Amino acid sequence: MLEASPNPTVDAARARLVDAVDLAREAIVAEAGDHVGEHLRAVAEDECSVTHYFVADQPGYSGWNWCAVLASSPGDDHITVSEVALLPGVDALTAPQWVPWAERIRPGDLSPGDTLAATEDDVRLVPGYVSSGDWDGLRRDVDFIDAAQEIGLGRKRLMSWFGRAEAAERWTAGDHGPYAEMAQSTRQHCASCGFFIPLTGSLRDLFGVCANEYSADGRVVHIDYGCGAHSDMKAPSGEGSPAYPAYDDGAVEIVDPR
Ligand code: SF4
């Protein structure tokens, strides 16, 4: 949109720039060859420059525009080509916005041989010399000393309360939580299973590791998760499936309907 200027000399200079469509096209052709389509519009940038937009008529650039910025001083007939550029239009096909890898990475992306270092400000971790905020059944902080006593070594960083809460949420909603299809299909739960090895610290109340190689072996399971391999599961009575009585075809009398 070209707005009128209180200075008639400026208006005249702008009018010359707006009329210089051929000069703008020539400048773009010198850069892009013959891939310049119809003239779209002229846009005033300031008092002495105007940008001309053309359709970019070249394969792979649908919706893009060539533009040439022309400039001239008020009172001077000479026009300068300041810049030529290829720019995406509103409907242009462009690359998705770049996202740093640290924000792109998702659970399950880690493969053998990959390294994934926690950042310095990772809220899931706290330095090992401060209180982790964790508590056991007596609501006593489980700190560095507790952890060190437990494994015989000190660790530089421990999981924060936030990190533990996030993990608890993930595990509860995950494949080995109380809402998983497996858990919903049994009345036997991990809390009473001999294969269930409780975690330590505050997570102990709700989570443990399954040590049954035929079930969720090595996975963190919720106390309300469960499966058909529970340690108290009764063996079938010999009639086949515990859910349905066996079909004994020796006890069936065959009757001819005729
Ligand atoms: S065997 Fe089944 S019930 Fe027992 S701990 Fe493992 S998943 Fe839980």
Side-chain angles (χ1 to χ4, degrees):
M1 174 65 89
L2 302 179
E3 291 179 6
S5 163
N7 183 340
T9 316
V10 168
D11 276 345
R14 272 191 188 160
R16 272 200 313 282
L17 291 170
V18 169
D19 289 342
V21 176
D22 291 342
L23 176 64
R25 182 183 288 277
E26 278 171 28
I28 295 171
V29 168
E31 189 75 32
D34 292 331
H35 301 295
V36 189
E38 65 171 304
H39 182 252
L40 294 173
R41 61 190 178 279
V43 177
E45 303 294 348
D46 54 31
E47 289 192 347
C48 54
S49 64
V50 166
T51 301
H52 286 272
Y53 289 85
F54 299 80
V55 171
D57 187 16
Q58 57 201 99
Y61 284 86
S62 175
W64 286 62
N65 300 148
W66 277 108
C67 69
V69 183
L70 306 183
S72 178
S73 299
D76 183 358
D77 287 346
H78 185 69
I79 294 177
T80 306
V81 178
S82 302
E83 192 173 1
V84 168
L86 182 61
L87 297 177
V90 180
D91 301 323
L93 183 63
T94 55
Q97 193 178 3
W98 186 77
V99 180
W101 74 267
E103 294 171 27
R104 231 180 304 152
I105 199 149
R106 290 283 174 268
D109 286 349
L110 196 68
S111 300
D114 288 347
T115 56
L116 180 60
T119 57
E120 283 296 316
D121 57 354
D122 192 325
V123 293
R124 298 171 303 167
L125 298 166
V126 291
Y129 53 80
V130 302
S131 166
S132 66
D134 193 15
W135 45 270
D136 61 11
L138 300 174
R139 290 190 173 265
R140 177 176 60 84
D141 275 358
V142 180
D143 290 333
F144 173 75
I145 294 173
D146 301 80
Q149 284 174 343
E150 192 175 305
I151 61 172
L153 294 170
R155 287 179 285 167
K156 283 186 180 169
R157 301 172 91 184
L158 296 175
M159 238 180 148
S160 63
W161 178 91
F162 181 82
R164 286 166 203 260
E166 266 199 336
E169 276 183 24
R170 276 198 313 277
W171 294 341
T172 300
D175 289 343
H176 300 98
Y179 311 111
E181 192 179 349
M182 183 81 86
Q184 298 286 323
S185 63
T186 182
R187 278 174 288 178
Q188 302 277 25
H189 297 296
C190 299
S192 59
C193 179
F195 293 112
F196 179 77
I197 301 173
L199 297 187
T200 60
S202 59
L203 293 172
R204 174 192 183 93
D205 291 344
L206 288 176
F207 301 100
V209 174
C210 171
N212 184 342
E213 66 176 314
Y214 298 110
S215 186
D217 192 29
R219 308 296 175 91
V220 174
V221 289
H222 192 281
I223 56 169
D224 290 330
Y225 180 72
C227 75
H230 187 284
S231 59
D232 291 346
M233 186 62 73
K234 296 276 186 291
S237 62
E239 295 177 351
S241 164
Y244 304 98
Y247 174 70
D248 183 1
D249 59 0
V252 176
E253 183 184 0
I254 309 294
V255 177
D256 187 346
R258 287 172 296 178

